[in-house]
Amino acid sequence: PHPGPPHPGPPHPGPPHPTCVTYITYVRYLRTQTDAAGTKMVDLITNNGMIPGIKLDAGYDKKGIPGTKVGPLGHPETADKGLDVLEGKAAAAYAQGARFAKWRNVLQIDPAQGLPSDLAITESAHCLARYAAICQRNGLVPIVEPEIVPNGDHSIEACSVATERVLSAHFSALALHKVYLEGCLLKPNMVKNGLSGPAASPEEIAVLTITALKRTVPPALPGIFFLSGEMPLDVDNEESATINLSKMHEIYPTLPWHVSFSYGKALQKTCIVTWMGEAANNGAAQAALKARCEANTAAVNGTYTAGTCASVGLDGNIAQAAGPY
């Protein structure tokens, strides 16, 4: 049997089961939000067979890290805030019913300027490692999310190099901080071209993504759950994210980790545009969300067929951006 986690605290609940649905919310919602009948959010989640989690980072200041260069996001490289109050927030979240957490750090690519810089990578790695250690001490499974944003005109090869640098540094820091990998999850970007860079095929994305992971992520980590990331308005982000994930499992049917999805817009676009805040659309919106979940479940098995899940397509990109997302 595996030894227990290296930190004292409540017993580890373990990572979500591959077939389990999890729900990530914000601190203020976990504490206060209720449905129309007055049921607390955390009870609504758990009573429907889901595991509640919580976002714990406090975002970043666009003034950035002193001395770093301005990247394609239009501001210098950044580091997230919130470590100084994390211990209390993590303990409170566990007491309120959360069983996992996430913390997102943002990194930018600009090969001409040397971004991401060694400084930004180091800051992100140790920030996420300390967050993960604090979470585990308080009984939460940490999702580590070093997101390399796709803004820019870089090639997929540049993203591949940056992703390997970033992941290598982060797992080195996780080891230094004695994070229990068997009780930790990774939420990375896929290796893709920049939003305005030369377009890569799903096969190229699959091969370079899995190659980067194999070179940097220890097999002790139980799961990798991709974010979908921003995509150009001329790309159907739902279909693209599902196809990319399916292609990975088609080419690599056996992997040392459970590789799945933790999508935002690429899971919700058709649902949101179908719903648009109207109660009369609830049923159709729920059906759309369920269909996309089933499509991504097929992708995790490497069996998704492009075009078999209804999507509002490219027009939905604009409607979603202007609507209630």
Side-chain angles (χ1 to χ4, degrees):
H2 282 300
H7 305 293
H12 269 289
H17 187 276
T19 60
C20 184
V21 176
T22 60
Y23 182 97
I24 302 172
T25 186
Y26 291 84
V27 174
R28 61 184 183 274
Y29 295 152
L30 186 67
R31 292 174 180 168
T32 64
Q33 194 172 50
T34 63
D35 67 5
T39 306
K40 290 183 179 180
M41 172 69 80
V42 66
D43 295 332
L44 190 64
I45 296 167
T46 54
N47 291 343
N48 281 278
M50 296 181 284
I51 300 175
I54 194 159
K55 176 184 180 293
L56 288 176
D57 68 77
Y60 60 81
D61 188 332
K62 290 185 179 181
K63 291 181 180 178
I65 303 170
T68 60
K69 297 177 180 178
V70 174
L73 287 176
H75 56 71
E77 295 179 292
T78 57
D80 269 7
K81 301 176 290 184
L83 284 176
D84 56 333
V85 295
L86 180 59
E87 191 80 47
K89 287 171 69 174
Y94 185 93
Q96 291 156 6
R99 291 298 178 264
F100 69 98
K102 88 166 195 117
W103 184 294
R104 169 181 176 257
N105 275 353
V106 171
L107 296 126
Q108 305 180 65
I109 296 181
D110 185 340
Q113 297 200 84
L115 304 185
S117 67
D118 289 342
L119 174 58
I121 292 174
T122 300
E123 285 280 346
S124 176
H126 286 281
C127 172
L128 279 166
R130 191 181 303 176
Y131 139 81
I134 291 171
C135 280
Q136 290 189 339
R137 183 157 65 190
N138 288 280
L140 299 173
V141 173
I143 297 177
V144 173
E145 184 179 357
E147 180 183 1
I148 305 173
V149 294
N151 303 70
D153 59 3
H154 53 273
S155 66
I156 189 174
E157 290 80 12
C159 183
S160 175
V161 170
T163 299
E164 289 187 24
R165 287 176 59 214
V166 166
L167 292 180
S168 178
H170 280 73
F171 280 96
S172 177
L174 290 170
L176 183 63
H177 286 257
K178 296 182 171 58
V179 171
Y180 179 62
L181 286 188
E182 289 85 350
C184 182
L185 298 169
L186 177 68
K187 182 175 178 178
N189 54 280
M190 295 182 187
V191 174
K192 299 190 293 186
N193 55 273
L195 293 179
S196 56
S201 68
E203 290 78 11
E204 290 173 305
I205 292 168
V207 169
L208 289 180
T209 298
I210 297 300
T211 298
L213 294 173
K214 283 186 171 183
R215 289 175 175 176
T216 57
V217 180
L221 190 86
I224 297 170
F225 297 82
F226 288 110
L227 57 91
S228 53
E230 291 291 333
M231 297 185 193
L233 288 178
D234 61 354
V235 172
D236 185 343
N237 51 346
E238 284 181 321
E239 270 290 280
S240 179
T242 306
I243 290 168
N244 291 339
L245 179 60
S246 189
K247 188 60 66 174
M248 291 178 205
H249 286 285
E250 180 185 330
I251 298 174
Y252 301 96
T254 303
L255 291 169
W257 336 269
H258 179 69
V259 177
S260 188
F261 61 96
S262 180
Y263 296 160
K265 292 180 181 178
L267 190 65
Q268 304 167 21
K269 180 180 71 175
T270 295
C271 171
I272 289 171
V273 174
T274 301
W275 175 56
M276 296 304 280
E278 297 293 333
N281 298 331
N282 285 357
Q286 290 171 341
L289 180 60
K290 184 173 185 289
R292 184 52 63 179
C293 288
E294 290 173 342
N296 282 296
T297 298
V300 171
N301 294 315
T303 59
Y304 178 68
T305 301
T308 56
C309 181
S311 169
V312 291
L314 303 185
D315 290 343
N317 293 346
I318 299 169
Q320 182 188 46
Y325 182 79

